Amino acid sequence: MLLPVQADASEFSEPWKKIDRALVIDAYEYNTIDWPKLSGDKRIVGFINKASDGLPPAYDCSGDETAYRLCKALWKRHAVARELFHTRKVIAKSLGLEWGAYHLGRPGNPIEQANNFLDFAEPGPDDLMALDIEDNDPTQWISLEDAELFVRHIYRRTGRYPVLYTNGSTSKYIADNRFRYPLLSRLPLWYARYKSEIGIHFPKGNWQRYTLWQFSAQANCGISRCPYRVAGTNKDIDVNVAPMDAAALRKAWPFGQLIETNVEFMTNVPVPIAREHGLRGESRITYASVAYPVHLHGLADALKSSWNRAVLGALPPITARANRYTDGMAEYAAARLDERLRNERQRADGRAELDPFSTGSIGLDRAEP
C-alpha cells in the first residue's frame, strides 16, 4: 500500500498567499453570487454548494392550521433551495468550475439522510460529494456513528465516498478514535479552521494533509480585514484553499476514494484454542500478527465470538467490566502505538507536548483575538 502524501510545512501556514494555490468557494442558498465577477478570479477552480439538510420534509402535511402551514413552508423552502442549487450547478459548470455538493448532517435516520442528499443533489460522476459534520454534538448534528452509516450508504449507491467536512476538534476526535470510525477517519478531509497557521493543531497522526482548508468565512472576514476577498460575493462567503495548483486540483477532483494509510504491525494476539484440547493439555498458545490500522471493532467482535464458541463452550458468556478500552487488547495496543508515534513526532519537532490549547473547534477560533 502506498504511504500517505506528506504535506509541506508551508501548507499549514497561510498557503492562500501563494498565488499558485487553487481556491474553492462553498456557499448556501442565502449567499449572493455575481457570477461574472467571481469567474474573473482565475485561482478559483471549484464551487461547492449546500444541497440537503438533514431529513427531507414530511411528504404529507397534516395537523392543526399552524402545523399544516409550517409543513407547507418547509416544502416550499426545500423546493426553492433545490431549484437554486441546480441553477447554480448549470452556471458554475458553464464557467468551467468544478462542482460539488454537501449535506448538512442532522440527528435522524442516516440512511434516509443519504437518500435525501442523493435525490436532492443528483451528483454526476465528476461532482464532489461532502458530508458536513459541524461539531461532535449528536443532539444538534449527525452523530459520528450515524455518519459512518451515511458514508457507507453513499458508497453503496454511487461507488464513491464523500469528503468529510468538519472542524479541528471533531477531526482530532475522529483521528484519536479511528478504530471506531474506520470510514470517517479515511475520508479526504475538508478542514475548517479560521487561523493563519494550523500545523500544531492538524491531526497529522491520521491525515497527513488536508484536501481543502476552509480558512475564510464570516467568522474572520469583516469590513476592514479578511484573509481573502472574492469578487462578486459578500464577506459571508466561505473560501477554501487546496494544497496544490489548479491543474492538480482538477485532476484529483472529486476525491471519491479513501485516503491511503500507513500500515504498521503493532502487536500479536493469541489464537483461540478448542476447549477439549485445552482440558487434555494438548494445546499450545500461538499468536497472530495484527496490522494497524485495521477495523479493530470488527477484530474484537470476531475474537469474542470465536472465544465464546471454541473455548467457553456451554458456559455462560463472560462480560468484562466497563473500561476505557471497550474493544479490549487490540484497542489498548493501538492506543499505546499512537502514544509512541506521537512522542516520536514531538521529539523530532523539538516540542515537549502537543498544542496546550483545545485543538480546533470553531468556537475557540471565534473566541481568540
Side-chain angles (χ1 to χ4, degrees), residues 111-126:
I111 305 303
E112 290 185 20
Q113 290 195 60
N115 289 331
N116 183 32
F117 171 65
L118 295 176
D119 294 343
F120 188 109
E122 299 178 6
D126 298 325

Side-chain angles (χ1 to χ4, degrees), residues 32-199:
T32 58
I33 309 291
D34 185 326
W35 290 99
K37 290 182 180 179
L38 182 144
S39 62
D41 189 338
K42 299 309 178 183
R43 289 184 61 187
I44 298 176
V45 174
F47 194 99
I48 305 174
N49 204 90
K50 179 186 175 184
S52 46
D53 188 328
L55 294 167
Y59 182 76
D60 292 318
C61 293
S62 58
D64 58 26
E65 181 180 0
T66 301
Y68 184 84
R69 292 177 63 182
L70 176 60
C71 177
K72 287 294 185 182
L74 290 174
W75 258 114
K76 182 177 180 179
R77 182 185 183 280
H78 179 82
V80 170
R82 189 171 186 273
E83 182 177 359
L84 177 62
F85 173 91
H86 286 282
T87 300
R88 286 180 172 178
K89 181 177 182 178
V90 171
I91 296 173
K93 289 195 169 187
S94 70
L95 294 172
L97 297 174
E98 302 294 339
W99 179 257
Y102 71 88
H103 172 83
L104 181 58
R106 303 276 192 179
N109 188 309
I111 305 303
E112 290 185 20
Q113 290 195 60
N115 289 331
N116 183 32
F117 171 65
L118 295 176
D119 294 343
F120 188 109
E122 299 178 6
D126 298 325
D127 296 342
L128 180 146
M129 301 179 290
L131 171 61
D132 179 351
I133 305 178
E134 285 290 315
D135 209 353
N136 188 14
D137 180 0
T139 65
Q140 298 187 61
W141 315 107
I142 189 171
S143 70
L144 301 184
E145 289 72 21
D146 281 354
E148 285 271 314
L149 298 176
F150 177 99
V151 169
R152 188 172 289 111
H153 192 67
I154 292 294
Y155 181 79
R156 278 199 295 262
R157 284 194 55 182
T158 68
R160 295 188 292 126
Y161 291 98
V163 171
L164 171 65
Y165 170 93
T166 194
N167 60 28
S169 60
T170 304
S171 61
K172 182 179 185 300
Y173 183 84
I174 292 171
D176 290 345
N177 296 274
R178 52 190 175 274
F179 50 86
R180 293 178 183 164
Y181 308 114
L183 289 180
L184 295 182
S185 62
R186 291 192 61 197
L187 296 180
L189 180 59
W190 179 3
Y191 189 75
R193 188 167 176 90
Y194 311 120
K195 307 297 289 185
S196 59
E197 298 188 13
I198 60 170

Side-chain angles (χ1 to χ4, degrees), residues 196-217:
S196 59
E197 298 188 13
I198 60 170
I200 198 171
H201 302 286
F202 193 79
K204 296 178 185 176
N206 187 74
W207 289 280
Q208 298 305 316
R209 67 190 302 182
Y210 53 84
T211 296
L212 295 171
W213 170 10
Q214 188 183 86
F215 67 91
S216 181

Side-chain angles (χ1 to χ4, degrees), residues 225-240:
R225 293 181 59 188
C226 188
Y228 193 91
R229 295 194 186 278
V230 179
T233 68
N234 293 326
K235 61 183 180 64
D236 61 345
I237 199 72
D238 295 338
V239 191
N240 309 269

Side-chain angles (χ1 to χ4, degrees), residues 257-272:
Q257 301 303 315
L258 299 177
I259 63 171
E260 300 288 355
T261 56
N262 186 7
V263 176
E264 298 186 41
F265 286 93
M266 67 172 189
T267 188
N268 294 323
V269 296
V271 178

